[in-house]
């Protein structure tokens, strides 16, 4: 998985509790140690990168270590930012009376279901487009799979939507005005450009990759299989898999022996079903993971040249 640090955007996804935050943090640390300027972004509303690095992280990048910043995306904060941007944009386009009316509508829209997701999408899109040029690599610690896959499909849906909006705007002004000078059309065209760039970077195997984290158990295996299908369908490159919390080889303890035998069955199944993807095993550590020291150990494991194909 060492080559992954040469990408620009990495996602770590998988079922709840399998080790997404742990692996994303360790990979971000590894890349920063290799000299990349890294931003670790948590999009899971149940943020835990701050627990991992044992310090507060907020909705704007904070420096955690040399070459490593952290950011925990906050839905409410992004909605406010989004609303402010839209209002500012409208104030440059329209007169006072329309602005007042529009502001009311915008505030209403911002409180509707889905508004927060829109705002999150907008921020994530800006990050993926590389808007913040302080960073070489952005590592996303994502929310459990379903939520993330929906987000990945959004540029496609939004493009269609904005294209339709542009068309109806064109029809509306077509006869009376010069299209090229219409501020609404200019703004829609700019959004469309942003979405195209977002999608192009997301789908470029050179730029972006999705790492699936799982443990050797039934449900995570099935969820991983579904995620692979959906990512392939969306055209997103799978960078590899981390099989986390693999038990030590032998133990005299009968309970651990039984666990180990059971695990072996699932490990075999993983090898069989996912053989076309790069895979790496990370052992169950004697204690849970937090703090830079344990992360360093994991960073080494993740970037060792032992990924299986
Ligand atoms: N290889 C490992 N060995 C021991 N504990 C681990 C390992 N990987 C993760 N953990 C622990 O498992 C728990 C869940 O991990 P986390 O990364 O928060 O999962 P997720 O982000 O997928 O919900 C955490 O308490 C973490 O410290
Ligand atoms: Mg997590």
């Amino acid at each position: 998985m060492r080559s992954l640090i040469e990408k620009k955007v990495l996602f770590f996804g998988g079922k709840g509790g399998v080790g997404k935050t742990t692996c994303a943090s360790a990979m971000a640390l590894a890349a920063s140690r290799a000299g990349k300027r890294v931003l670790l972004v948590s999009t899971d509303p149940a943020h835990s990168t701050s627990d991992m690095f044992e310090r507060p992280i907020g909705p704007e990048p904070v420096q955690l270590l040399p070459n490593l910043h952290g950011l925990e995306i906050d839905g409410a904060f992004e909605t406010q930012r989004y609303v402010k941007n839209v209002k500012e944009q409208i104030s440059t386009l329209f007169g006072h009376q329309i602005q007042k009316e529009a502001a009311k509508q915008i505030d209403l829209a911002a409180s509707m279901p889905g508004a927060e997701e829109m705002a999150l999408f907008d921020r994530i899109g800006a990050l993926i487009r590389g808007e913040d040029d302080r960073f070489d690599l952005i590592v996303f610690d994502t929310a459990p799979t379903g939520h993330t896959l929906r987000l990945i499909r959004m540029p496609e849906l939004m493009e269609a939507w904005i294209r339709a909006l542009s068309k109806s705007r064109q029809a509306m002004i077509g006869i009376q005005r010069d299209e090229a000078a219409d501020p609404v059309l200019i703004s829609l065209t700019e959004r469309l450009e942003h979405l195209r760039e977002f999608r192009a970077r997301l789908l470029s195997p050179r730029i972006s990759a999705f790492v699936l984290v799982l443990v050797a158990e039934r449900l995570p295996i099935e969820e991983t299989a579904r995620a692979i299908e959906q990512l392939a369908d969306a055209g997103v490159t799978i960078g590899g898999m981390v099989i986390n919390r693999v038990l030590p080889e032998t133990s005299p303890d009968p309970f651990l022996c039984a666990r180990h035998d059971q695990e072996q069955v699932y490990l075999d199944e993983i090898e069989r079903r996912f053989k076309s993807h790069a895979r790496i095993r990370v052992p169950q550590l004697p204690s849970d993971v937090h703090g830079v020291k344990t992360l360093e150990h994991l960073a080494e494991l993740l970037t060792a040249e032992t990924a299986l194909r």
Side-chain angles (χ1 to χ4, degrees), residues 9 125-135 138 197 201:
V9 180
L127 289 166
I128 290 178
R129 289 201 323 272
E131 195 190 68
D132 197 332
D133 61 9
R134 286 176 294 168
F135 305 110
I138 307 211
E197 205 183 325
R201 285 176 67 88

Side-chain angles (χ1 to χ4, degrees), residues 204-278:
S204 157
R206 198 171 44 81
I207 293 174
S208 305
F210 204 106
V211 178
L212 291 155
V213 185
L214 74 162
V215 293
E217 288 172 11
R218 171 95 280 130
L219 271 50
I221 290 176
E222 295 308 333
E223 182 155 327
T224 302
R226 276 195 301 274
I228 288 176
E229 233 170 73
Q230 290 171 21
L231 286 167
D233 193 41
V236 177
T237 306
I238 293 163
M241 291 182 171
V242 181
I243 304 145
N244 193 18
R245 310 192 80 153
V246 176
L247 294 172
E249 273 302 319
T250 50
S251 164
D253 180 88
F255 172 79
L256 283 178
C257 261
R259 275 295 293 170
H260 183 264
D261 289 349
Q262 171 70 86
E263 180 182 66
Q264 198 53 51
V265 174
Y266 287 130
L267 286 173
D268 291 343
E269 181 176 343
I270 290 172
E271 296 306 301
R272 214 174 47 246
R273 287 177 71 175
F274 305 133
K275 57 176 174 289
S276 59
H277 299 283

Side-chain angles (χ1 to χ4, degrees), residues 74-81 116:
D74 177 79
F77 182 89
E78 295 308 329
T79 309
Q80 283 318 309
R81 193 207 305 261
E116 200 170 294

Side-chain angles (χ1 to χ4, degrees), residues 15-22 48 52 141 244-245 282-285 287-289 298:
K15 234 183 139 44
V18 294
K20 295 179 295 296
T21 301
T22 306
S48 45
M52 194 58 82
D141 169 21
N244 193 18
R245 310 192 80 153
V282 170
Q284 169 73 47
L285 299 175
S287 71
D288 58 345
V289 185
L298 276 172

Side-chain angles (χ1 to χ4, degrees), residues 90-198:
I90 285 184
S91 73
T92 64
L93 296 182
F94 300 106
H96 185 69
Q97 197 47 43
I98 294 182
Q99 269 181 55
K100 239 175 74 187
E101 193 46 44
K104 260 194 262 167
Q105 298 294 333
I106 292 164
D107 288 334
L108 186 67
S111 63
M112 304 274 263
E116 200 170 294
E117 198 175 20
M118 255 332 274
L120 288 177
F121 168 76
D122 214 56
R123 183 74 197 278
I124 291 169
L127 289 166
I128 290 178
R129 289 201 323 272
E131 195 190 68
D132 197 332
D133 61 9
R134 286 176 294 168
F135 305 110
D136 304 310
L137 169 67
I138 307 211
V139 178
F140 285 100
D141 169 21
T142 73
T145 326
H147 187 261
T148 303
L149 289 174
R150 209 170 43 184
L151 211 71
I152 277 176
R153 285 243 102 124
M154 258 171 94
E156 206 179 318
L157 303 174
M158 289 283 297
E159 262 187 57
W161 192 56
I162 296 208
R163 229 181 258 119
L165 281 180
S166 300
K167 227 188 216 140
S168 68
R169 178 71 187 174
Q170 264 161 349
M172 195 171 119
I173 60 164
I175 340 154
Q176 329 133 19
R177 262 214 269 175
D178 181 12
E179 277 184 23
D182 179 53
V184 177
L185 262 183
I186 290 172
S187 154
L188 286 172
T189 308
E190 188 189 270
R191 272 196 83 78
L192 205 55
E193 274 311 306
H194 281 175
L195 280 167
R196 282 210 191 102
E197 205 183 325
F198 176 178

